[in-house]
Coordinates of all heavy atoms in Angstrom, one line a residue:
A22 N 88.5 16.8 -110.7 CA 87.8 16.5 -109.5 C 88.8 16.4 -108.4 O 89.9 16.1 -108.5 CB 87.2 15.1 -109.6
E23 N 88.3 16.9 -107.2 CA 89.2 16.9 -106.0 C 89.3 15.5 -105.4 O 88.3 14.8 -105.2 CB 88.5 17.9 -105.0 CG 89.4 18.1 -103.7 CD 88.7 19.0 -102.8 OE1 87.9 19.8 -103.3 OE2 89.1 19.0 -101.7
V24 N 90.5 15.2 -104.9 CA 90.7 13.9 -104.2 C 91.0 14.3 -102.8 O 92.0 15.0 -102.5 CB 91.9 13.2 -104.8 CG1 92.2 11.8 -104.0 CG2 91.7 12.8 -106.3
K25 N 90.2 13.7 -101.9 CA 90.4 14.0 -100.5 C 91.1 12.8 -99.8 O 90.6 11.6 -100.1 CB 89.1 14.3 -99.7 CG 88.5 15.5 -100.2 CD 87.2 15.8 -99.5 CE 86.5 17.1 -99.9 NZ 85.3 17.4 -99.3
L26 N 92.2 12.9 -99.2 CA 92.9 11.9 -98.5 C 92.7 12.0 -97.0 O 93.0 13.0 -96.4 CB 94.4 11.9 -98.8 CG 94.8 11.8 -100.3 CD1 96.3 12.0 -100.4 CD2 94.3 10.5 -100.8
A27 N 92.1 11.0 -96.4 CA 91.9 10.9 -94.9 C 93.3 10.7 -94.3 O 94.1 10.0 -94.8 CB 90.9 9.9 -94.6
K28 N 93.3 11.3 -93.1 CA 94.5 11.1 -92.2 C 94.2 9.8 -91.5 O 93.5 9.7 -90.6 CB 94.8 12.2 -91.3 CG 95.2 13.4 -92.1 CD 95.6 14.5 -91.1 CE 96.0 15.7 -91.8 NZ 96.3 16.9 -91.0
L29 N 94.9 8.7 -92.0 CA 94.6 7.4 -91.4 C 95.9 6.9 -90.6 O 96.9 7.2 -91.0 CB 94.4 6.3 -92.5 CG 93.1 6.6 -93.3 CD1 93.0 5.7 -94.4 CD2 91.8 6.6 -92.5
P30 N 95.7 6.1 -89.6 CA 96.9 5.5 -88.9 C 97.6 4.6 -90.0 O 96.9 3.8 -90.6 CB 96.5 4.8 -87.7 CG 95.0 4.7 -87.9 CD 94.6 5.8 -88.9
V31 N 98.9 4.6 -90.0 CA 99.6 3.7 -91.0 C 100.8 3.0 -90.3 O 101.3 3.5 -89.3 CB 100.2 4.5 -92.3 CG1 99.0 5.1 -93.0 CG2 101.1 5.6 -91.8
D32 N 101.1 1.8 -90.8 CA 102.2 1.1 -90.4 C 103.4 1.5 -91.4 O 103.1 1.6 -92.6 CB 102.1 -0.4 -90.4 CG 101.1 -0.9 -89.3 OD1 101.2 -0.3 -88.2 OD2 100.4 -1.8 -89.5
V33 N 104.6 1.6 -90.9 CA 105.7 2.0 -91.7 C 106.8 1.1 -91.6 O 107.2 0.7 -90.4 CB 106.2 3.5 -91.4 CG1 107.4 3.9 -92.2 CG2 105.1 4.5 -91.7
K34 N 107.5 0.7 -92.7 CA 108.7 -0.1 -92.6 C 109.7 0.6 -93.5 O 109.5 0.8 -94.6 CB 108.6 -1.4 -93.1 CG 109.8 -2.3 -93.0 CD 109.5 -3.8 -93.1 CE 110.7 -4.6 -93.0 NZ 111.1 -4.9 -91.6
L35 N 110.8 1.2 -92.7 CA 111.8 1.9 -93.5 C 112.9 0.9 -93.9 O 113.5 0.2 -93.1 CB 112.4 3.0 -92.6 CG 111.5 4.0 -92.0 CD1 112.1 4.9 -91.0 CD2 110.8 4.8 -93.2
L36 N 113.1 0.9 -95.3 CA 114.2 0.0 -95.8 C 115.3 0.8 -96.4 O 115.1 2.0 -96.7 CB 113.5 -0.9 -96.8 CG 112.4 -1.7 -96.5 CD1 111.7 -2.3 -97.6 CD2 112.8 -2.8 -95.4
H37 N 116.4 0.2 -96.4 CA 117.6 0.9 -96.9 C 117.5 1.2 -98.5 O 117.2 0.3 -99.2 CB 118.9 0.1 -96.7 CG 119.2 0.0 -95.2 ND1 119.9 1.0 -94.5 CD2 118.9 -1.0 -94.3 CE1 120.0 0.6 -93.3 NE2 119.4 -0.5 -93.1
E38 N 117.8 2.4 -98.8 CA 117.7 2.8 -100.2 C 118.6 1.9 -101.2 O 118.3 1.7 -102.3 CB 118.0 4.3 -100.4 CG 117.8 4.8 -101.8 CD 118.1 6.2 -102.0 OE1 118.5 6.9 -101.0 OE2 117.8 6.8 -103.1
E39 N 119.7 1.5 -100.6 CA 120.6 0.7 -101.4 C 119.9 -0.6 -101.9 O 120.1 -1.1 -102.9 CB 121.9 0.4 -100.7 CG 122.8 1.5 -100.3 CD 122.2 2.1 -99.0 OE1 121.7 1.5 -98.1 OE2 122.3 3.4 -98.9
D40 N 119.1 -1.1 -101.0 CA 118.3 -2.4 -101.4 C 117.1 -2.1 -102.2 O 116.8 -2.9 -103.0 CB 117.9 -3.1 -100.1 CG 119.0 -3.5 -99.2 OD1 120.1 -3.8 -99.8 OD2 118.9 -3.5 -98.0
F41 N 116.4 -0.9 -102.0 CA 115.2 -0.6 -102.6 C 115.2 0.9 -103.1 O 114.7 1.7 -102.4 CB 114.0 -0.8 -101.7 CG 113.9 -2.3 -101.3 CD1 114.4 -2.8 -100.1 CD2 113.3 -3.2 -102.1 CE1 114.3 -4.0 -99.7 CE2 113.2 -4.6 -101.7 CZ 113.8 -5.0 -100.5
P42 N 115.9 1.2 -104.2 CA 115.9 2.6 -104.7 C 114.6 3.0 -105.3 O 114.4 3.0 -106.5 CB 117.1 2.6 -105.7 CG 117.1 1.2 -106.1 CD 116.7 0.3 -105.1
I43 N 113.6 3.5 -104.4 CA 112.4 3.9 -104.9 C 112.3 5.4 -104.7 O 112.6 5.9 -103.6 CB 111.3 3.2 -104.1 CG1 111.4 1.7 -104.3 CG2 109.9 3.8 -104.5 CD1 110.4 0.9 -103.4
H44 N 112.0 6.2 -105.8 CA 112.0 7.6 -105.7 C 110.6 8.1 -106.1 O 110.5 9.0 -107.0 CB 113.1 8.1 -106.6 CG 114.4 7.7 -106.2 ND1 115.1 8.2 -105.2 CD2 115.3 6.7 -106.8 CE1 116.3 7.6 -105.1 NE2 116.4 6.7 -106.1
G45 N 109.6 7.5 -105.5 CA 108.3 7.9 -105.8 C 107.3 7.3 -104.8 O 107.8 6.7 -103.8
E46 N 106.1 7.5 -104.9 CA 105.1 7.0 -104.0 C 103.8 6.6 -104.8 O 103.5 7.3 -105.8 CB 104.8 8.1 -103.0 CG 103.8 7.8 -102.0 CD 103.5 8.9 -101.0 OE1 104.4 9.6 -100.6 OE2 102.4 9.1 -100.7
I47 N 103.1 5.7 -104.3 CA 101.9 5.3 -104.7 C 100.8 5.3 -103.6 O 101.1 4.7 -102.7 CB 101.9 3.9 -105.4 CG1 102.8 3.8 -106.6 CG2 100.4 3.4 -105.9 CD1 103.1 2.5 -107.2
T48 N 99.8 6.1 -103.7 CA 98.8 6.2 -102.7 C 97.6 5.7 -103.3 O 97.2 6.0 -104.4 CB 98.6 7.6 -102.2 OG1 99.9 8.1 -101.7 CG2 97.5 7.7 -101.2
V49 N 96.9 4.7 -102.6 CA 95.6 4.1 -103.0 C 94.5 4.5 -102.1 O 94.7 4.2 -100.9 CB 95.7 2.6 -103.2 CG1 94.4 2.0 -103.7 CG2 96.9 2.1 -104.0
R50 N 93.5 5.1 -102.5 CA 92.3 5.5 -101.7 C 91.1 5.2 -102.6 O 90.9 5.8 -103.7 CB 92.3 7.0 -101.4 CG 93.5 7.4 -100.4 CD 93.2 6.9 -99.0 NE 94.3 7.3 -98.1 CZ 95.2 6.6 -97.6 NH1 95.3 5.4 -98.0 NH2 96.1 7.1 -96.8
E51 N 90.3 4.4 -101.9 CA 89.0 4.0 -102.5 C 89.2 3.5 -104.0 O 89.8 2.6 -104.3 CB 87.9 5.1 -102.4 CG 87.6 5.4 -101.0 CD 86.7 6.6 -100.9 OE1 86.1 7.0 -101.9 OE2 86.4 6.9 -99.7
D52 N 88.8 4.4 -105.0 CA 88.9 4.0 -106.4 C 90.0 4.9 -107.1 O 90.0 5.1 -108.3 CB 87.6 4.1 -107.1 CG 87.0 5.4 -107.2 OD1 87.6 6.4 -106.6 OD2 86.2 5.7 -108.0
T53 N 90.9 5.5 -106.4 CA 91.8 6.4 -106.8 C 93.3 6.0 -106.6 O 93.6 5.6 -105.4 CB 91.5 7.9 -106.3 OG1 90.2 8.1 -106.5 CG2 92.5 8.9 -106.9
L54 N 94.1 6.2 -107.6 CA 95.6 6.0 -107.4 C 96.2 7.3 -107.6 O 95.9 8.1 -108.5 CB 96.2 5.1 -108.6 CG 95.8 3.6 -108.5 CD1 96.3 3.0 -109.8 CD2 96.3 3.0 -107.3
L55 N 97.2 7.7 -106.8 CA 98.0 8.9 -106.9 C 99.4 8.3 -107.0 O 100.0 7.6 -106.2 CB 98.0 9.7 -105.7 CG 96.7 10.7 -105.6 CD1 95.5 9.9 -105.1 CD2 97.1 11.8 -104.6
L56 N 100.0 8.7 -108.2 CA 101.4 8.3 -108.5 C 102.3 9.5 -108.4 O 102.0 10.5 -109.2 CB 101.4 7.6 -109.9 CG 100.5 6.5 -110.2 CD1 100.6 6.1 -111.7 CD2 100.7 5.4 -109.3
L57 N 103.3 9.5 -107.5 CA 104.1 10.7 -107.3 C 105.5 10.3 -107.7 O 106.1 9.2 -107.3 CB 104.1 11.2 -105.9 CG 102.8 11.7 -105.5 CD1 101.9 10.7 -105.0 CD2 103.0 12.8 -104.5
S58 N 106.2 11.2 -108.4 CA 107.7 11.0 -108.7 C 108.5 12.0 -108.0 O 108.1 13.2 -108.0 CB 107.9 11.1 -110.2 OG 109.2 11.2 -110.5
F59 N 109.6 11.7 -107.4 CA 110.4 12.6 -106.6 C 111.8 12.7 -107.1 O 112.6 13.4 -106.6 CB 110.5 12.1 -105.2 CG 109.2 12.0 -104.5 CD1 108.9 10.8 -103.8 CD2 108.3 13.0 -104.5 CE1 107.8 10.6 -103.1 CE2 107.0 12.8 -103.9 CZ 106.8 11.7 -103.1
K60 N 112.3 12.0 -108.2 CA 113.6 11.9 -108.6 C 113.9 13.2 -109.5 O 114.0 14.3 -108.9 CB 113.9 10.7 -109.4 CG 115.4 10.4 -109.7 CD 116.1 10.0 -108.4 CE 117.5 9.7 -108.7 NZ 118.4 9.5 -107.6
L61 N 114.3 13.1 -110.7 CA 114.7 14.2 -111.5 C 113.5 15.1 -111.8 O 113.6 16.4 -111.8 CB 115.3 13.7 -112.9 CG 116.6 13.0 -112.6 CD1 117.1 12.4 -114.0 CD2 117.7 13.7 -112.0
E62 N 112.4 14.6 -112.0 CA 111.1 15.4 -112.3 C 110.2 15.1 -111.2 O 110.2 14.0 -110.8 CB 110.6 15.0 -113.7 CG 110.0 13.7 -113.8 CD 111.0 12.5 -113.9 OE1 112.1 12.7 -114.3 OE2 110.6 11.4 -113.5
T63 N 109.5 16.1 -110.8 CA 108.5 16.0 -109.8 C 107.1 16.1 -110.5 O 106.8 17.1 -111.1 CB 108.5 17.0 -108.6 OG1 109.9 16.8 -108.1 CG2 107.6 16.8 -107.6
F64 N 106.3 15.1 -110.4 CA 104.9 15.2 -111.0 C 104.0 14.2 -110.3 O 104.4 13.3 -109.6 CB 104.9 14.8 -112.5 CG 105.3 13.5 -112.8 CD1 104.3 12.5 -113.0 CD2 106.6 13.1 -113.1 CE1 104.7 11.2 -113.3 CE2 106.9 11.9 -113.5 CZ 106.0 10.9 -113.6
V65 N 102.7 14.5 -110.4 CA 101.7 13.6 -109.9 C 100.7 13.1 -111.0 O 100.3 14.0 -111.8 CB 100.9 14.4 -108.8 CG1 99.8 13.5 -108.3 CG2 101.8 14.9 -107.7
T66 N 100.3 11.9 -111.0 CA 99.4 11.4 -111.9 C 98.2 10.8 -111.1 O 98.5 10.1 -110.1 CB 99.9 10.4 -112.8 OG1 101.0 10.9 -113.6 CG2 98.8 9.8 -113.8
I67 N 97.0 11.2 -111.3 CA 95.8 10.6 -110.7 C 95.0 9.8 -111.7 O 94.8 10.1 -112.7 CB 95.0 11.8 -110.1 CG1 95.7 12.7 -109.1 CG2 93.7 11.3 -109.4 CD1 95.0 13.9 -108.6
I68 N 94.8 8.5 -111.2 CA 94.0 7.6 -112.0 C 92.7 7.2 -111.1 O 92.9 6.7 -110.0 CB 94.8 6.4 -112.4 CG1 96.2 6.7 -113.1 CG2 94.1 5.4 -113.1 CD1 97.1 5.7 -113.4
R69 N 91.7 7.3 -111.7 CA 90.4 6.9 -111.1 C 90.0 5.5 -111.7 O 89.5 5.5 -112.9 CB 89.3 7.8 -111.2 CG 89.4 9.0 -110.2 CD 88.2 9.8 -110.1 NE 88.3 11.0 -109.4 CZ 88.3 11.1 -108.1 NH1 88.0 10.2 -107.3 NH2 88.5 12.3 -107.5
S70 N 90.2 4.4 -111.0 CA 89.8 3.1 -111.6 C 89.8 2.1 -110.4 O 90.7 1.9 -109.7 CB 90.9 2.6 -112.6 OG 90.7 1.3 -112.8
K71 N 88.6 1.6 -110.2 CA 88.4 0.7 -109.0 C 89.2 -0.6 -109.3 O 89.8 -1.2 -108.4 CB 86.9 0.3 -109.0 CG 86.6 -0.5 -107.7 CD 85.1 -0.7 -107.5 CE 84.9 -1.3 -106.1 NZ 83.4 -1.1 -105.7
T72 N 89.2 -1.0 -110.6 CA 90.1 -2.2 -110.9 C 91.6 -2.0 -110.6 O 92.2 -2.9 -110.0 CB 89.9 -2.5 -112.4 OG1 88.5 -2.8 -112.6 CG2 90.7 -3.8 -112.8
L73 N 92.1 -0.9 -111.1 CA 93.5 -0.6 -110.8 C 93.8 -0.4 -109.3 O 94.8 -0.8 -108.8 CB 94.0 0.6 -111.6 CG 94.3 0.3 -113.1 CD1 94.7 1.5 -113.8 CD2 95.3 -0.8 -113.2
A74 N 92.9 0.3 -108.7 CA 93.0 0.5 -107.1 C 93.1 -0.9 -106.4 O 93.9 -1.1 -105.6 CB 92.0 1.4 -106.6
N75 N 92.3 -1.8 -106.8 CA 92.2 -3.0 -106.1 C 93.5 -3.8 -106.5 O 94.0 -4.6 -105.6 CB 90.9 -3.8 -106.5 CG 89.7 -3.3 -105.8 OD1 89.8 -2.6 -104.8 ND2 88.6 -3.5 -106.5
T76 N 93.9 -3.7 -107.8 CA 95.1 -4.4 -108.2 C 96.3 -3.9 -107.4 O 97.2 -4.7 -106.8 CB 95.4 -4.2 -109.7 OG1 94.3 -4.8 -110.4 CG2 96.7 -4.8 -110.1
F77 N 96.4 -2.6 -107.2 CA 97.6 -2.1 -106.4 C 97.5 -2.3 -105.0 O 98.5 -2.6 -104.3 CB 97.7 -0.4 -106.7 CG 98.5 -0.1 -107.9 CD1 97.9 -0.2 -109.2 CD2 99.8 0.3 -107.7 CE1 98.7 0.1 -110.3 CE2 100.5 0.6 -108.8 CZ 100.0 0.5 -110.1
R78 N 96.3 -2.5 -104.4 CA 96.2 -2.9 -103.0 C 96.7 -4.3 -102.9 O 97.4 -4.6 -102.0 CB 94.6 -2.9 -102.6 CG 94.2 -1.6 -102.1 CD 92.8 -1.7 -101.5 NE 92.2 -0.4 -101.5 CZ 91.5 0.1 -102.5 NH1 91.2 -0.5 -103.6 NH2 91.0 1.3 -102.4
S79 N 96.4 -5.2 -103.9 CA 96.9 -6.6 -103.8 C 98.4 -6.6 -103.9 O 99.1 -7.4 -103.2 CB 96.3 -7.4 -104.8 OG 94.9 -7.5 -104.7
L80 N 98.9 -5.8 -104.8 CA 100.5 -5.8 -105.0 C 101.1 -5.2 -103.7 O 102.1 -5.7 -103.3 CB 100.7 -4.9 -106.2 CG 100.4 -5.5 -107.6 CD1 100.6 -4.4 -108.7 CD2 101.3 -6.7 -107.8
F81 N 100.4 -4.2 -103.1 CA 101.0 -3.7 -101.9 C 101.0 -4.8 -100.7 O 102.0 -4.9 -100.1 CB 100.2 -2.5 -101.3 CG 100.6 -2.0 -100.0 CD1 101.7 -1.3 -99.8 CD2 99.9 -2.5 -98.9 CE1 102.1 -0.9 -98.5 CE2 100.3 -2.2 -97.5 CZ 101.5 -1.3 -97.4
E82 N 99.9 -5.5 -100.6 CA 99.8 -6.6 -99.6 C 100.9 -7.6 -99.9 O 101.5 -8.1 -98.9 CB 98.5 -7.2 -99.5 CG 97.4 -6.3 -99.0 CD 97.7 -5.9 -97.5 OE1 98.2 -6.7 -96.8 OE2 97.3 -4.8 -97.3
L83 N 101.2 -8.0 -101.0 CA 102.2 -8.9 -101.5 C 103.5 -8.5 -101.1 O 104.4 -9.1 -100.4 CB 102.1 -9.2 -103.0 CG 103.2 -10.2 -103.5 CD1 103.0 -11.6 -102.9 CD2 103.1 -10.2 -105.0
A84 N 103.8 -7.1 -101.4 CA 105.2 -6.5 -101.1 C 105.3 -6.4 -99.5 O 106.4 -6.6 -99.0 CB 105.3 -5.2 -101.8
W85 N 104.2 -6.0 -98.9 CA 104.3 -5.8 -97.4 C 104.6 -7.1 -96.7 O 105.5 -7.2 -95.9 CB 103.0 -5.3 -96.9 CG 102.9 -5.0 -95.4 CD1 102.5 -5.8 -94.5 CD2 103.6 -3.8 -94.8 NE1 102.7 -5.1 -93.2 CE2 103.3 -3.9 -93.4 CE3 104.2 -2.7 -95.2 CZ2 103.7 -3.1 -92.5 CZ3 104.7 -1.7 -94.3 CH2 104.4 -1.9 -93.0
K86 N 104.0 -8.2 -97.1 CA 104.2 -9.5 -96.5 C 105.7 -9.9 -96.9 O 106.4 -10.6 -96.1 CB 103.3 -10.6 -97.1 CG 101.8 -10.3 -96.5 CD 100.9 -11.3 -97.0 CE 99.5 -11.0 -96.5 NZ 98.4 -11.8 -97.0
G87 N 106.2 -9.6 -98.1 CA 107.6 -10.0 -98.5 C 108.6 -9.2 -97.7 O 109.7 -9.7 -97.5
A88 N 108.2 -8.0 -97.2 CA 109.2 -7.1 -96.6 C 109.3 -7.5 -95.0 O 110.2 -7.0 -94.3 CB 108.8 -5.7 -96.7
Q89 N 108.4 -8.3 -94.5 CA 108.4 -8.6 -93.1 C 109.7 -9.2 -92.6 O 110.0 -8.9 -91.6 CB 107.2 -9.5 -92.8 CG 105.8 -8.9 -93.0 CD 105.6 -7.6 -92.2 OE1 105.8 -7.5 -91.0 NE2 105.2 -6.5 -92.9
D90 N 110.3 -10.0 -93.4 CA 111.5 -10.6 -93.0 C 112.7 -9.9 -93.4 O 113.8 -10.3 -93.2 CB 111.5 -12.1 -93.5 CG 110.5 -13.0 -92.9 OD1 110.1 -12.7 -91.7 OD2 110.0 -13.9 -93.6
H91 N 112.5 -8.8 -94.1 CA 113.7 -8.1 -94.7 C 114.2 -7.0 -93.5 O 113.3 -6.4 -92.9 CB 113.3 -7.3 -95.8 CG 114.5 -6.7 -96.6 ND1 115.2 -5.6 -96.2 CD2 115.2 -7.2 -97.7 CE1 116.2 -5.4 -97.0 NE2 116.2 -6.3 -97.9
P92 N 115.5 -7.1 -93.3 CA 115.9 -6.2 -92.2 C 115.7 -4.7 -92.6 O 116.1 -4.2 -93.6 CB 117.4 -6.5 -92.1 CG 117.9 -7.1 -93.3 CD 116.6 -7.8 -93.9
G93 N 115.1 -3.9 -91.8 CA 114.8 -2.5 -92.0 C 115.8 -1.7 -91.2 O 116.9 -2.3 -90.7
F94 N 115.5 -0.6 -90.9 CA 116.4 0.3 -90.0 C 116.2 -0.1 -88.6 O 115.1 -0.5 -88.2 CB 116.0 1.8 -90.2 CG 116.5 2.4 -91.5 CD1 115.7 2.3 -92.6 CD2 117.8 3.0 -91.6 CE1 116.1 2.9 -93.7 CE2 118.2 3.5 -92.7 CZ 117.4 3.5 -93.8
T95 N 117.3 0.1 -87.8 CA 117.2 -0.2 -86.4 C 116.4 1.0 -85.7 O 116.2 2.0 -86.3 CB 118.6 -0.3 -85.8 OG1 119.3 1.1 -85.9 CG2 119.4 -1.3 -86.5
K96 N 116.0 0.6 -84.5 CA 115.3 1.7 -83.7 C 116.2 2.9 -83.5 O 115.8 4.0 -83.7 CB 115.0 1.1 -82.3 CG 114.2 2.2 -81.5 CD 113.8 1.5 -80.2 CE 113.0 2.6 -79.4 NZ 112.5 2.1 -78.0
E97 N 117.5 2.7 -83.4 CA 118.5 3.8 -83.2 C 118.4 4.6 -84.5 O 118.6 5.9 -84.4 CB 119.8 3.3 -82.8 CG 119.9 2.8 -81.4 CD 119.3 1.4 -81.3 OE1 119.2 0.6 -82.3 OE2 118.9 1.0 -80.1
E98 N 118.6 4.0 -85.6 CA 118.6 4.7 -86.9 C 117.3 5.5 -87.1 O 117.3 6.7 -87.6 CB 118.8 3.8 -88.1 CG 120.1 3.1 -88.1 CD 120.2 2.1 -89.2 OE1 119.3 1.2 -89.3 OE2 121.2 2.1 -89.9
R99 N 116.1 4.9 -86.7 CA 114.8 5.6 -86.9 C 114.8 6.8 -85.9 O 114.1 7.8 -86.3 CB 113.7 4.7 -86.6 CG 113.5 3.6 -87.7 CD 112.1 2.9 -87.6 NE 111.9 2.3 -86.2 CZ 112.2 1.1 -85.8 NH1 112.8 0.2 -86.7 NH2 111.9 0.6 -84.6
M100 N 115.4 6.7 -84.8 CA 115.4 7.9 -83.9 C 116.1 9.1 -84.4 O 115.9 10.2 -84.0 CB 115.9 7.4 -82.5 CG 115.1 6.3 -81.8 SD 113.4 6.8 -81.6 CE 113.5 8.0 -80.4
L101 N 117.0 8.9 -85.4 CA 117.7 10.0 -85.9 C 116.9 10.9 -86.8 O 117.3 12.0 -87.2 CB 118.9 9.5 -86.7 CG 120.0 8.9 -85.8 CD1 121.2 8.3 -86.8 CD2 120.6 9.9 -85.0
W102 N 115.8 10.3 -87.4 CA 115.0 11.0 -88.4 C 114.5 12.4 -87.9 O 114.7 13.3 -88.7 CB 113.8 10.2 -88.7 CG 112.8 10.7 -89.6 CD1 111.6 11.4 -89.3 CD2 112.9 11.0 -91.0 NE1 111.0 11.8 -90.4 CE2 111.8 11.6 -91.4 CE3 113.9 10.6 -92.0 CZ2 111.6 12.0 -92.8 CZ3 113.6 11.0 -93.3 CH2 112.5 11.6 -93.6
P103 N 114.0 12.6 -86.8 CA 113.6 13.9 -86.4 C 114.7 14.9 -86.3 O 114.5 16.1 -86.5 CB 112.9 13.7 -85.0 CG 112.5 12.3 -84.9 CD 113.6 11.6 -85.8
Q104 N 115.8 14.5 -85.9 CA 117.0 15.4 -85.8 C 117.6 15.8 -87.1 O 118.0 16.9 -87.3 CB 118.1 14.8 -84.9 CG 117.6 14.4 -83.5 CD 118.6 13.5 -82.8 OE1 119.7 13.2 -83.3 NE2 118.2 13.1 -81.6
T105 N 117.7 14.8 -88.0 CA 118.5 15.1 -89.3 C 117.5 15.4 -90.5 O 118.0 15.9 -91.5 CB 119.3 13.9 -89.6 OG1 118.5 12.8 -89.9 CG2 120.3 13.6 -88.5
G106 N 116.2 14.9 -90.4 CA 115.3 15.0 -91.5 C 115.6 14.0 -92.6 O 115.0 14.0 -93.7
R107 N 116.5 13.0 -92.2 CA 116.8 12.0 -93.2 C 117.3 10.8 -92.4 O 117.8 10.9 -91.3 CB 117.8 12.4 -94.3 CG 119.2 12.8 -93.8 CD 120.0 13.3 -94.9 NE 120.5 12.2 -95.8 CZ 121.6 11.7 -95.8 NH1 122.5 12.1 -94.9 NH2 121.9 10.7 -96.6
I108 N 117.2 9.6 -93.1 CA 117.7 8.4 -92.4 C 119.1 8.3 -92.9 O 119.4 8.4 -94.1 CB 116.9 7.2 -92.8 CG1 115.5 7.3 -92.4 CG2 117.5 5.9 -92.3 CD1 115.3 7.3 -90.8
V109 N 120.1 8.1 -92.0 CA 121.5 8.0 -92.3 C 122.0 6.6 -92.1 O 121.4 5.9 -91.4 CB 122.3 9.0 -91.6 CG1 122.0 10.4 -92.0 CG2 122.1 8.9 -90.1

């Protein structure tokens, strides 16, 4: 089945990889989870489950609230992104 992802406005907090070495992504849309791996192997897993989607939403909210007080990148560091393609 095809999964359509809407282009929605998002808030982003960029954190230093040394503190949070995450090499993947979890996207939650309606009743669907997309799990992506970017490290040694690249793959995508799609899970359709309203229960798991709601669980991951709750986990995300918990992590987002916990990251509010964590120092992220400075505005100057974020401004380097378009020029270099990476945060340095």
Side-chain angles (χ1 to χ4, degrees):
E23 182 179 343
V24 176
K25 295 182 181 180
L26 299 178
K28 292 183 180 181
L29 303 172
V31 295
D32 290 327
V33 175
K34 181 163 181 86
L35 299 173
L36 301 171
H37 292 276
E38 184 177 4
E39 298 83 36
D40 296 332
F41 300 96
I43 298 171
H44 303 283
E46 179 180 320
I47 300 171
T48 301
V49 182
R50 293 287 185 256
E51 297 177 11
D52 66 346
T53 303
L54 293 173
L55 280 77
L56 307 175
L57 294 89
S58 170
F59 303 131
K60 191 68 175 176
L61 298 174
E62 68 287 333
T63 301
F64 67 88
V65 177
T66 300
I67 299 173
I68 301 171
R69 286 195 189 273
S70 166
K71 188 171 191 165
T72 301
L73 285 177
N75 289 335
T76 298
F77 273 78
R78 275 189 199 88
S79 295
L80 289 171
F81 172 80
E82 290 299 325
L83 178 66
W85 184 259
K86 288 177 183 177
Q89 293 304 313
D90 295 329
H91 195 281
F94 285 91
T95 64
K96 182 178 180 181
E97 292 76 22
E98 290 172 315
R99 289 193 308 268
M100 296 305 288
L101 292 174
W102 175 259
Q104 297 168 6
T105 64
R107 63 186 286 258
I108 298 293
V109 292

